[in-house]
Amino acid sequence: MAATLSEFHYGLVTPVAAYVMACVGSVLALRCTTRSLRRTGGERRWGWLALGATSLGCGIWTMHFIAMIGFTVNGRLMRYDAGLTVLSLLVAIAVVSVGVFLVGYRGSGPVTLGIAGTVTGLGVAAMHYLGMGALKLNGQVRYDTGVVLLSVVIAVVAATAALWAAVSISAVWATMGASLVMGAAVSVMHYTGMSAVSVHAAHGAVGGQSSADLLSFMLAMLAGPLILLLIAGVIVMFDPEVVMGRTEWDKPQASEAPEQAQGVGAFDWR
């Protein structure tokens, strides 16, 4: 028989918290990518791009995981396979890294952006459905193919827009606005994907766990990504570009050739 599903066991707490985390990951990723493009080369550029990719991957995965906390089948909270849950986090970071590094080193040309956005979007969708595969229940999970495809399209469009924003939007307030839109896009993709799900359980019997057990599992799974996001936030906040401000940062350095200083001023990465 078909089970009754709900995404909002805790009301608006989980979707709001999930959206906030998606926005946090997005804004950190945008600032890190912007910083990587500003007079940064070699290992420093690589480091900023890696930090941005990790922030975005952790933000997207954390959004998904927090949203899933409110998912119930026949009123029961779900159990999750820890191994698959961690694997979905690694997949999120890996695929986002591909997209971020592509646009970080090759720019936002149509071909590069299309490839990077498609790879990243498909990876985000794979992360979502891999996370769904971590569900432990005594029933069969089925998906509406049309809705699944729609969620994948949303993921690709959202990823492409995010990567474009990473190399095209530089002002702080514009970055904040872009992160709000990106967080909304990620959330829409998640709940679209969840609307494709149906569960069929014999005699209505499904697995489940208590709120206390789920809380313990949640804290264990979220600890690593949240620490990484905190570290990224501290690094971004204490970077000279932010601390010194635009005027000081834009002053030509004594060691720069006049033509180099003019070149930097011509491209307002911030």
Side-chain angles (χ1 to χ4, degrees), residues 16-91:
V16 170
Y19 171 70
V20 169
M21 293 312 303
C23 292
V24 169
S26 297
V27 73
L28 289 175
L30 290 176
R31 295 311 295 164
C32 287
T33 306
T34 296
R35 180 61 180 83
S36 76
L37 299 173
R38 191 180 185 92
R39 294 192 296 187
T40 304
E43 294 182 359
R44 293 188 66 190
R45 170 171 287 194
W46 188 95
W48 280 108
L49 290 174
L51 186 63
T54 301
S55 298
L56 186 57
C58 286
I60 292 173
W61 181 87
T62 302
M63 178 273 147
H64 166 83
F65 187 66
I66 290 178
M68 288 301 297
I69 292 171
F71 178 64
T72 61
V73 179
N74 286 347
R76 303 195 67 181
L77 297 169
M78 292 293 94
R79 294 180 182 273
Y80 296 88
D81 180 275
L84 283 177
T85 301
V86 173
L87 179 60
S88 68
L89 170 62
L90 299 179
V91 167

Side-chain angles (χ1 to χ4, degrees), residues 216-229:
S216 298
F217 181 74
M218 175 191 72
L219 293 176
M221 290 294 104
L222 288 176
L226 288 178
I227 290 174
L228 289 174
L229 288 172

